[in-house]
Amino acid sequence: MQRLLRWFYGLCLSGLMLTVAVEPVAGQQMGRHPEEFRPATRTFAITNAQIVQAPGRVIEGGTVVIRDGLIEAVGLNVQPPFDAHVIEADTLYVYAGFIDGLSHAGIPRPRQERDLERVERPGDPPYERAGIRPERLVPDLLVHDDGSIENFRKLGFTTAHVVPRGQMLPGQGAIVQLGGRNASEMILRDRASLFAQFESARGVYPATTMAIMARWRQIYREADRRQGIAAARTADPAGIRRLEHDAVHDAFRAVVNRELPVVFRTETSLDARRAIRLSEELGFRLILADLKESWYMTDELRDEEPPVFLSLDLPEEEPAREADTVAVARNGDRVRSQADLEDEVERLEQRREEFRRQYFRNAAELHEAGVRFGFATAGTEHNQIRRNLRTIVEHGLPEDAALSALTVNAAHILGLEGQLGTIESGKIANLVLTTGPYFDEDSQVRVVFVDGRRFDYEVREVSDDVDPEAEETPVGRWDFTFDSPDGPLTGTLEIEGSPGAFSGVLALDIGAGDAQLRNIVLEGNVLSFDVTVVVEGSTYPTSFLGTVSEDAISGSATVPGMGTFPARARRISDPGS
Amino acid sequence: MQTTRLKRLLLPALWMAAVFAAVPAQGQVPRAERGDLLIRNATVLTVTDGTHENTDVLISNGRIARIGQGLSAPGDVRVVDAAGLYVMPGIIDAHSHIAITNVNEATNPITAEVQIRDVINPFDVNIYRALAGGVTTIHAMHGSANVIGGQCQTLKLRYGVTDPDDMIFEGAPRTIKFALGENPTRVHGRGANIQPLSRMGVENVIREGFTEAQRYTEAWERYQIERRTDRRAAAPAYDQRLEVLAAILRGDILIQAHSYRADEILMLMDVARDFGIERLTFHHGNEAYKVAPELAAFGAGASVFMDWWAFKFEVYYSTASNSAILARNGVRTSLNSDSPEVIRRLNHEAAKTQKYGDLTDDEALALITINPAWQLGIDGRVGSIEVGKDADLAVFDAHPLSVYAVPQMTIVDGVIRFDRETDPDDMRLHVDPTVEIEPVMLWHEEHDRCMQETGHILELLGHGHAH
């Protein structure tokens, strides 16, 4: 109980907020679900805003006009058109939507890893078992309403280079707009890249990194040979035996032709250098993504060839340790007896801290070397991204450089600079409206436009919501809905007792039985509790936090390791009964 | 006898030097730092040219420039006063698995196409530990799970570089791992129920592989001829594995064969003769002493353990005199570690040959210097202290064959990479901040590194762990 209260106040102090997605205004006006109707207008005017047109280029009190998914006008003296829905932004900041260099948004995780089937010859497994699927395409895999898309959009990402999940060669990447009624609407560019990583196939060839390297050379060179024969047959098929159909080698043709860049996921410098070696040996176009250790190879990256998307994943901060007191004293000290052990542990911790800071400073150092780069999130939990961006800025990356990485640089690397990355007339209306400068801890995303489609995020400070005088009660039966990443989970919530002695259960409709609520606390009108839910045999410890107002509770549920998702409840019994 | 022996040692060295001269110079220039240094008043153990007391060694741009007395160097060159110290050629370990992130691609009886070069790990702290034992060059090898495993890589221990390519012994010949006997029959035969299940199967895998490579070469040669007259001729399928096997047959890649028993050693020499392969080095070879004259007649090398055996059935018939018997029968012999621990004291492994075989000092030191250099085809560059050779040196406070000898300094390309004077506890180049520090000693059993990464495949196939 005490612990939970501390946690709760900690949330208030750290300014964590409840973010609740609300339906677009146009839809609300009609009183129907927005997806069922065309919006009344596709013209918007955002007035009196701080418009960050491009990093370092700010129009104070300017107006942006959006029409039919494109930016029509931007500037100080722009008049809102008569048919525009006007958003009086006043204190809001407007940024170009962020572009994610490597993402799995909209590509659901496989439910569980399939049992590894035994193969006749482990040295020669079928392509699928080996993780070699370069012919797979994002439009066939993208789930348009997957919760991950909302998670990233809510952070300000409007476009992502989305790649399939898998092992060595999971498939081809696509440029995806993070919002749309179906997958087709969201695809900005299909076949945008060939995605590769050093993920081996377990127990079969290629089971190691060195075999992945070898497999790459083999596939590439054979694809090159097939290309030559195919070209000769195209010119004149007579007398040349046709090649057996092979989707893998055929998919590589665009790589061999240098039409398709290879986006290689390489977190370590060793992996990044391996990808560079393959590219130099074989001659394909390369983009490095999710790199965390570029400081080891600044010289190789200086000419921005290959271009780089740095990972937004960082080591966990150690709160107890003050970073600026670190002075690593390594020389001369020796552990000679058990008595020195504490000193030794302290020295090891100092070196650990030295390297933690090195990871934090990675982006800043690459920037200081004059290299432009983007960011990638494939290896990062979405709920770590804003905190990590702040950490990166605190460790020396100028805010404008961070914004460039999120917008213009990413657009440039992906060849999208003509249509995305800045707020200029004619570009795609991907915008982010925030309550303050994006990298400020307190500022919040209020509205996101994707292709001129509006997504509102109602933002309230929890601390503002706490009304100690409120006379709300959670007691009663409630219809409960939790927007899990795999779709909504519904159930019945029952709470009884009195403040300080509440008890309750949550029964999900999918029939896992009653789960006891723990640590139920009502602070004014703010309700929190913990509950462990069981879904399809998997156990999820969940923390709920929300506000009670008469017959409704709205808030969010946090599942460690998965993220925070909207949750709400509607009273189905009489108050207090 | 000494002079004939010297000639025997020197002739191949001269021959290799000539070969190296033909290699484009570009491939031999180290990308990493090269240093200048003057070592004064040392006892210099040249290995190939006897021992010189009170002698100076002048190092210029990473090479040994002069050996003599009263040498001087430009003012800014560091001078090491080595009075009372012993300088020997940097130790060479012909069989190691440190400094790499993969060992075995254990999924197929032949994986000739995989390369250790692709998985060099310059951050491995074992490199520094090996330097602290006087080692300057290692042969980083693929494991022994497969009959024909991956291509190996000769490395210089330039600890401190972070680019794997800076570790590469530039210009060293290509080498490849073969493995005979129990390991491949256990992994593939008993593990996956495919050939080889027996030593006969091992031989057949090699013969079939080479035969297929011959067919492959013929097909490409036919295509090259056809193409001269028919521009539309279709190229045969590309096969990287067969490309490598064909390169072995051409003599471009030196075979390094994991082996224990005399019969399998004879078998591989027969296969080599049948396919025109002239150079072989047998690793481990616990029973090699039984066929020492045959090995000498073939011109094969042997890289053996000093006194490690009985860890499985095929290594029961062993003797600590193996290396001495081989050396005295004219087999180019080296002692290897196959271990990140033994690599730190290869000088003591060499010293044991004086107890178990009465080898001379130079014969004993040759087992860890010029002989492994010859086996790896780098004896024109390293393995002895000679003018023109790479300045790869180990400095000891006593004769390195003494049990009291402690390494003081290890020099690679004229750069001091280990110095006992400045040797802090924590020499890691990279620290993973996500790994918690445990204030306890984490003990783990050391397995046969040769079989690293075979565990998962055996488990997958329903077998126990590989030891």
Side-chain angles (χ1 to χ4, degrees), chain A residues 116-281:
Chain A
L116 295 175
E117 56 202 273
R118 197 197 150 124
V119 292
E120 280 296 298
R121 295 160 47 84
D124 187 21
Y127 281 133
E128 176 157 12
R129 179 69 175 80
I132 299 171
R133 306 295 309 281
E135 75 285 4
R136 292 209 302 167
L137 301 175
V138 166
D140 302 331
L141 304 165
L142 190 71
V143 176
H144 78 282
D145 54 358
D146 189 80
S148 58
I149 291 171
E150 170 75 12
N151 287 338
F152 281 94
R153 188 170 58 220
K154 209 154 65 177
L155 295 167
F157 287 96
T158 55
T159 308
H161 170 233
V162 173
V163 294
R165 298 179 192 269
Q167 288 100 40
M168 172 184 164
L169 289 162
Q172 297 179 34
I175 308 298
V176 172
Q177 292 282 78
L178 296 182
R181 288 165 299 191
N182 53 58
S184 310
E185 198 175 67
M186 291 164 64
I187 304 289
L188 180 61
R189 186 198 297 158
D190 187 20
R191 299 170 200 260
S193 69
L194 180 81
F195 177 48
Q197 50 189 358
F198 289 108
E199 289 290 328
S200 56
R202 290 207 287 146
V204 300
Y205 192 93
T208 55
T209 301
M210 57 186 169
I212 290 176
M213 293 288 282
R215 201 77 181 89
W216 248 98
R217 296 180 177 108
Q218 170 63 38
I219 294 172
Y220 190 97
R221 295 199 171 120
E222 175 63 3
D224 195 15
R225 179 192 74 97
R226 288 171 59 98
Q227 164 96 329
I229 293 173
R233 287 194 87 247
T234 307
D236 177 8
I240 304 176
R241 261 185 48 187
R242 73 178 179 88
L243 292 162
E244 200 176 309
H245 171 75
D246 183 306
V248 168
H249 290 100
D250 289 351
F252 254 74
R253 188 176 295 177
V255 176
V256 172
N257 290 341
R258 293 179 62 86
E259 289 161 12
L260 206 60
V262 175
V263 174
F264 233 117
R265 183 169 180 198
T266 57
E267 293 191 346
T268 66
S269 68
L270 294 180
D271 275 351
R273 289 179 189 281
R274 290 177 182 124
I276 290 173
R277 182 180 318 145
L278 282 180
S279 142
E280 286 174 352
E281 274 181 31

Side-chain angles (χ1 to χ4, degrees), chain A residues 332-347:
Chain A
D333 298 309
R334 283 186 176 278
V335 176
R336 296 190 189 281
S337 77
Q338 180 72 13
D340 297 334
L341 198 59
E342 262 181 50
D343 289 349
E344 172 71 355
V345 170
E346 176 57 25
R347 277 195 295 277

Side-chain angles (χ1 to χ4, degrees), chain B residues 183-430:
Chain B
N183 287 3
T185 55
R186 178 169 64 235
V187 171
H188 303 287
R190 281 161 55 194
N193 198 29
I194 53 178
Q195 202 176 57
L197 255 162
S198 66
R199 282 187 166 75
M200 296 181 289
V202 170
E203 176 175 359
N204 193 54
V205 166
I206 300 169
R207 286 185 182 276
E208 287 208 335
F210 282 154
T211 305
E212 218 185 318
Q214 288 173 332
R215 302 279 169 276
Y216 179 82
T217 306
E218 287 159 14
W220 275 90
E221 283 168 356
R222 251 195 326 274
Y223 162 69
Q224 300 293 1
I225 293 164
E226 248 178 75
R227 206 169 60 153
R228 280 179 219 151
T229 51
D230 178 9
R231 261 184 346 101
R232 288 161 43 79
Y238 175 81
D239 191 314
Q240 200 182 0
R241 187 171 290 165
L242 296 176
E243 293 270 346
V244 176
L245 297 185
I248 297 171
L249 295 177
R250 286 197 305 271
D252 294 346
I253 306 179
L254 307 178
I255 295 173
Q256 311 282 327
H258 161 112
S259 54
Y260 291 107
R261 275 179 23 180
D263 54 355
E264 66 193 14
I265 291 171
L266 293 174
M267 174 276 283
L268 190 61
M269 287 194 287
D270 280 348
V271 172
R273 281 193 194 94
D274 289 352
F275 286 90
I277 293 165
E278 289 172 1
R279 290 216 33 190
L280 284 177
T281 296
F282 290 92
H283 286 241
H284 311 327
N286 286 38
E287 291 187 14
Y289 65 95
K290 293 183 180 175
V291 289
E294 289 83 352
L295 284 164
F298 186 94
S303 183
V304 302
F305 296 135
M306 180 57 220
D307 49 11
W308 192 33
W309 57 74
F311 44 89
K312 55 185 156 179
F313 190 73
E314 63 186 350
V315 282
Y316 270 73
Y317 206 146
S318 302
T319 166
S321 299
N322 194 19
S323 49
I325 295 170
L326 288 163
R328 284 287 164 86
N329 278 276
V331 179
R332 271 301 185 102
T333 305
S334 68
L335 289 172
N336 69 54
S337 80
D338 195 11
S339 149
E341 189 279 310
V342 177
I343 197 171
R344 303 172 310 130
R345 49 184 177 81
L346 279 167
N347 57 313
H348 289 156
E349 298 293 278
K352 292 179 194 169
T353 60
Q354 302 193 307
K355 175 173 173 58
Y356 292 102
D358 292 327
L359 293 193
T360 66
D361 286 358
D362 278 349
E363 282 174 325
L365 289 175
L367 297 175
I368 54 172
T369 54
I370 193 70
N371 287 2
W374 177 83
Q375 292 169 347
L376 301 175
I378 52 175
D379 50 336
R381 287 272 302 282
V382 292
S384 62
I385 300 180
E386 293 176 56
V387 170
K389 279 197 162 182
D390 293 8
D392 292 4
L393 304 169
V395 182
F396 288 80
D397 62 350
H399 193 289
L401 296 173
S402 158
V403 76
Y404 298 108
V406 175
Q408 301 299 308
M409 192 179 269
T410 307
I411 297 156
V412 182
D413 302 321
V415 178
I416 299 168
R417 296 282 177 184
F418 164 74
D419 187 346
R420 199 172 155 79
E421 295 268 299
T422 55
D423 174 36
D425 278 357
D426 188 353
M427 278 300 291
R428 292 171 300 167
L429 293 177
H430 181 84

